[in-house]
Amino acid sequence: MNEAATRSVIVEREIPFPPEKIWRALTQPHLIEEWLMKNSFKPVVDHRFNLSAEWGGVDCQVRTVEPNRTLSYSWDTKDLESVVTWTLTPTGRGTRLRMEQVGFRTDQEPYYRGATVGWKRNFTALEQLLSRID
């Protein structure tokens, strides 16, 4: 992947929950399914997993696991090869949660637009989940 010729989608929000609670929602398969997609995720570096939805699926591999701080995984579907990185930073009122998906080539405008809309929707679903769980 040529980073110089790619774009990123970034969503960042301050969420009024501690990093530990958000981490659970990012790493426990039954919770991931509630805000993102069905999955076979395990928070283990090099673990290969799939995400699936009615529109298709995503092949992934865990790259980084720093509990309550950073999680990253590849996100490959059709001809898109990208990486999703989650960063959790404690704040006085909760956690600043940042998601960056890198690797959108300039000729992949539909993927880029879809991710821009989709990740915002996923963040909303994640926040709703966090307000319901302990």
Side-chain angles (χ1 to χ4, degrees):
M1 177 171 25
N2 179 355
E3 296 295 333
T6 63
R7 295 188 290 173
S8 299
V9 171
I10 298 171
V11 180
E12 189 169 6
R13 292 187 189 164
E14 185 161 347
I15 299 178
F17 299 105
E20 297 78 13
K21 183 173 186 174
I22 297 169
W23 183 258
R24 286 196 323 268
L26 295 177
T27 60
Q28 292 183 2
H30 69 285
L31 297 177
I32 297 168
E33 183 173 350
E34 287 197 44
W35 65 269
L36 185 60
M37 289 184 250
K38 292 180 182 177
N39 64 90
S40 57
F41 181 82
K42 291 181 185 171
V44 176
V45 172
D46 292 329
H47 173 69
R48 292 183 182 277
F49 66 100
N50 299 96
L51 297 165
S52 61
E54 59 281 350
W55 55 264
V58 182
D59 295 318
C60 304
Q61 184 172 4
V62 177
R63 302 178 97 182
T64 306
V65 177
E66 295 178 44
N68 306 315
R69 295 182 56 206
T70 305
L71 174 67
S72 71
Y73 41 83
S74 60
W75 179 284
D76 301 339
T77 183
K78 300 180 176 106
D79 62 336
L80 173 65
E81 294 180 5
S82 64
V83 175
V84 171
T85 301
W86 297 91
T87 306
L88 295 79
T89 306
T91 66
R93 298 183 310 179
T95 304
R96 176 150 302 280
L97 181 61
R98 182 179 196 272
M99 186 287 313
E100 181 174 13
Q101 184 175 8
V102 300
F104 296 95
R105 296 188 320 260
T106 54
D107 65 341
Q108 295 178 315
E109 187 65 25
Y111 290 139
Y112 180 77
R113 282 195 317 265
T116 300
V117 171
W119 281 117
K120 289 176 184 169
R121 186 172 46 238
N122 294 336
F123 256 70
T124 298
L126 175 60
E127 289 180 89
Q128 291 169 350
L129 170 68
L130 289 166
S131 69
R132 292 193 321 265
I133 63 173
D134 290 328

